[in-house]
Amino acid sequence: MKREISLSALIPLDTLPIPGEPVVEEVRPLKALYLLHGYSGSHTDWIHFSRIRELSDKYKIAVFMPSGENNFYLDDEDKGQLYGEFLGKELVDFTRSMFPLSTNREDTIIGGLSMGGYGAIRNGLKYAGQFGRIIALSSALITYNIAGLAPGYQDLIADYNYYKRVFGDLDRLLGSDRDPEALAKQLKETGSSFPSIYMACGTDDFLLDVNQKFHDYLIQEDIPHFYKESAGTHDWNFWNEYIGPAIEWAITDAKSTN
């Protein structure tokens, strides 16, 4: 990235004894979750708006929440800001060097909401040798919608210039390494280890259709995964409902089903 990056971290190494309660044994090395925020958010969102500190303590899992700004956790080669490579390589290596983290792929999880859900899926697949689990809540899988956009396009979120800057040539987006379907297909064709995937989206979420499309693609390709729809919209009520079950899924056997 060639600059400082803001990062929030939860490292549950110390447990205060509670009178009358059994002493909790220290767990080392720790499993690690790299948890991504959404569009217009920051590295403090999960700390401020979710139960993540409670969950980190409960499941004895280290949680790292980096700033992704509004770049969808993709590499911007023109600027020399390689968000994807930063997540998939440097951040994992850096945190492992600082804290007692497991180096086991199955203990290394990437997750996020909305833009961060896309970032978790894309980088979890792109760096499948690094991550054994992917948690994707209300994922902004907008590659389906923005591929082939014409100059002058504008929606409620952004415009053609933004999408082109972040995702590159929109006429070549599908099939590129920014297209989750293409990354999944490549892993399958090469026989590479496939991360277990947990997806959840609210039935009133404006991103429901693209989550359904990716879910249908995974079924079509016979790629095991967990997928859940339930009442909810694009907000912290839904994300708080699912982040706990998602983490519990990720730290157990994560036996995924369509």
Side-chain angles (χ1 to χ4, degrees), residues 32 34 85-94 96 102-110 123-133 193 195:
Y34 299 85
E85 186 173 332
F86 166 70
L87 280 177
K89 294 181 179 179
E90 184 178 10
L91 183 59
V92 174
D93 292 343
F94 175 72
R96 283 176 175 173
S102 171
T103 58
N104 189 326
R105 173 178 174 269
E106 298 306 309
D107 294 336
T108 308
I109 307 153
I110 187 168
N123 290 301
L125 297 177
K126 173 77 173 177
Y127 298 96
Q130 192 83 282
F131 301 106
R133 310 277 191 261
S193 296

Side-chain angles (χ1 to χ4, degrees), residues 68-142:
E69 300 178 0
N70 284 342
N71 290 280
F72 274 78
Y73 306 95
L74 293 170
D75 296 334
D76 188 331
E77 295 178 357
D78 289 340
K79 286 187 175 181
Q81 295 180 352
L82 308 182
Y83 284 89
E85 186 173 332
F86 166 70
L87 280 177
K89 294 181 179 179
E90 184 178 10
L91 183 59
V92 174
D93 292 343
F94 175 72
T95 51
R96 283 176 175 173
S97 71
M98 290 191 67
F99 303 106
L101 305 181
S102 171
T103 58
N104 189 326
R105 173 178 174 269
E106 298 306 309
D107 294 336
T108 308
I109 307 153
I110 187 168
L113 63 86
S114 194
M115 180 185 79
Y118 166 85
I121 291 174
R122 187 269 179 179
N123 290 301
L125 297 177
K126 173 77 173 177
Y127 298 96
Q130 192 83 282
F131 301 106
R133 310 277 191 261
I134 297 170
I135 295 172
L137 307 181
S138 309
S139 302
L141 295 161
I142 62 172

